[in-house]
Amino acid sequence: MTDKKSPSSRTVLSSMPVVVMAMVAVADVVAGPGVGFLPLVSLGPAFSGLVGGWRRTVVFGLVALVLCVGLGLYDGLFEERRGFTAMAAVAGVTAIGVAAAVMRSRREAELASVRSIAEVAQRVLLRPVPLTAGPLQAAVSYTSAVAEARIGGDLYEVVASPHGIRVIVGDVQGKGLAAVETAALVLGAFREAAHEEPDLVGLGERLERSVARELEGEKFVTAILAEIGTRHEAVFLNYGHPAPMVVRRDGAVDFPKPPTYALPLGLGAHGTEGPKPYRVDFAPGEQLLLYTDGVTEARDDEGRFYPVGERAHLLKDPHAHRALEALRADLAQHSGGPPHDDAAMLLLRYHGHEEGKSVPTA
């Protein structure tokens, strides 16, 4: 995680104490003692406390006091109370600035510690997907709707199991820590069951039992499971999740939908029938994009949804991560502001034995 302040803005803030004190000094000399600019010298240490440490604030406070004394003598203010009043103002503001700098430094240290813990949690919960898995290349993009966070309610995983490459992309209802906990539950169950269950339906049923056992009330998780083997096809199991996007070798785009729609994970106890698996051709040279509704429901200034199908040509870069980053940048430009929902995208490229062939440009 990076500091939000750009280098240029930090430079401006750092130079503000010098600029302000210089301007006050010039104005005081030009206007004379009658205007009463001298107490404004205290703005120097005040601005210093915004970005610098307490030592830097003390230095600017001392400089402000020396400047205050010099200008006070020049203006003849020490013959009356005004000179001493200005010095008291500078000393008081400097003391407050030092206290503020100390408190800010402590908060920044605490925030750095929290961010470090969050980075570890991210690596545990949302581990980097493998660059290659069997015949597939993989790349992932995740944007959290929570400011200063990198994890949220969306989830993804790629597992190379004895039964084929198994994939999950899901979206937990809600946001915040509760959603993160549910995502951790689903991912833990998936990582274990993906190696043990011989078919995708059994894997889905096991996830349903795990989620239903832990979730309360009307909470749920939309998810899509995929299995890619050696038969040039992908098998999907859809739990109320957006349809995947398949980019063919000629650039055509498909959104294969399930024969019947099923309830999300966690709502299977309502007695409805679970999802049926469906097969889709997926051959070397083709691409598969799995995503959450934070992608398709992102709106522009005119309220139009993001047309992910019309942006398939952005996935033409031979490097999977750069291709997905291009799509992510276009999504951010479309929404034109901070995301209102988590957005996860998982790109799979079937290179097989034809890895050297170019990716279709749509």
Side-chain angles (χ1 to χ4, degrees):
M1 299 180 185
T2 58
D3 190 348
K4 283 187 173 182
K5 293 186 178 70
S6 65
S8 59
S9 63
R10 291 190 66 88
T11 301
V12 171
L13 289 175
S14 298
S15 63
M16 282 299 293
V18 176
V19 174
V20 168
M21 288 192 295
M23 291 177 62
V24 171
V26 171
D28 185 81
V29 171
V30 172
V35 180
F37 279 131
L38 191 55
L40 294 180
V41 174
S42 61
L43 290 175
F47 277 110
S48 177
L50 293 177
V51 293
W54 68 268
R55 293 181 178 85
R56 184 174 185 268
T57 305
V58 169
V59 169
F60 277 107
L62 293 175
V63 172
L65 280 174
V66 172
L67 185 60
C68 185
V69 171
L71 291 174
L73 292 173
Y74 175 80
D75 294 332
L77 298 181
F78 287 103
E79 298 175 1
E80 49 184 306
R81 294 181 179 179
R82 291 174 59 190
F84 297 101
T85 302
M87 290 184 63
V90 173
V93 172
T94 299
I96 295 174
V98 169
V102 170
M103 294 177 61
R104 179 175 50 79
S105 297
R106 290 177 179 175
R107 288 196 299 269
E108 289 177 351
E110 293 174 355
L111 180 58
S113 177
V114 171
R115 287 178 173 177
S116 177
I117 295 173
E119 294 284 356
V120 175
Q122 180 194 21
R123 289 193 293 268
V124 173
L125 177 59
L126 295 177
R127 302 179 301 196
V129 298
L131 297 179
T132 59
L136 305 178
Q137 292 178 334
V140 69
S141 167
Y142 192 103
T143 304
S144 174
V146 180
E148 297 296 334
R150 290 193 177 180
I151 54 177
D154 287 2
L155 56 98
Y156 56 83
E157 184 60 288
V158 177
V159 174
S161 77
H163 316 288
I165 308 302
R166 288 178 166 176
V167 180
I168 183 172
V169 170
D171 185 358
V172 178
Q173 177 202 23
K175 298 181 179 68
L177 291 178
V180 174
E181 292 175 357
T182 302
L185 166 70
V186 175
L187 287 173
F190 174 80
R191 288 164 180 161
E192 180 180 0
H195 289 279
E196 299 177 356
E197 295 295 335
D199 60 78
L200 203 60
V201 173
L203 173 56
E205 291 175 347
R206 187 158 167 180
L207 287 180
E208 178 63 64
R209 290 193 299 269
S210 298
V211 173
R213 185 169 55 247
E214 298 294 334
L215 295 187
E216 299 177 354
E218 298 298 320
K219 295 182 179 180
F220 59 85
V221 181
T222 69
I224 185 166
L225 307 182
E227 180 179 287
I228 297 97
T230 58
R231 302 175 59 182
H232 291 179
E233 65 179 13
V235 183
F236 295 105
L237 206 60
N238 195 317
Y239 289 88
H241 200 76
M245 181 176 77
V246 181
V247 183
R248 303 298 181 186
R249 289 182 61 85
D250 60 0
V253 176
D254 293 334
F255 290 89
K257 298 180 179 179
T260 58
Y261 287 90
L263 292 175
L265 293 168
L267 300 180
H270 290 255
T272 59
E273 188 176 7
K276 300 293 184 182
Y278 60 105
R279 301 177 181 273
V280 177
D281 291 338
F282 186 43
E286 298 181 335
Q287 303 184 83
L288 171 63
L289 182 71
L290 305 175
Y291 49 88
T292 59
D293 58 10
V295 175
T296 53
E297 295 182 3
R299 297 173 182 264
D300 62 12
D301 294 337
E302 299 180 3
R304 294 173 297 190
F305 292 114
Y306 184 67
V308 63
E310 299 176 9
R311 301 294 198 269
H313 64 279
L314 296 174
L315 299 176
K316 62 184 178 181
D317 195 293
H319 193 284
H321 287 274
R322 289 198 299 264
L324 194 57
E325 182 58 33
L327 188 64
R328 176 179 179 172
D330 186 72
L331 174 63
Q333 183 179 7
H334 175 86
S335 57
H340 298 290
D341 194 8
D342 298 335
M345 294 184 288
L346 177 62
L347 178 65
L348 300 174
R349 286 179 168 176
Y350 199 141
H351 58 76
H353 299 291
E354 303 179 36
E355 184 174 357
K357 293 192 175 182
S358 61
V359 178
T361 59

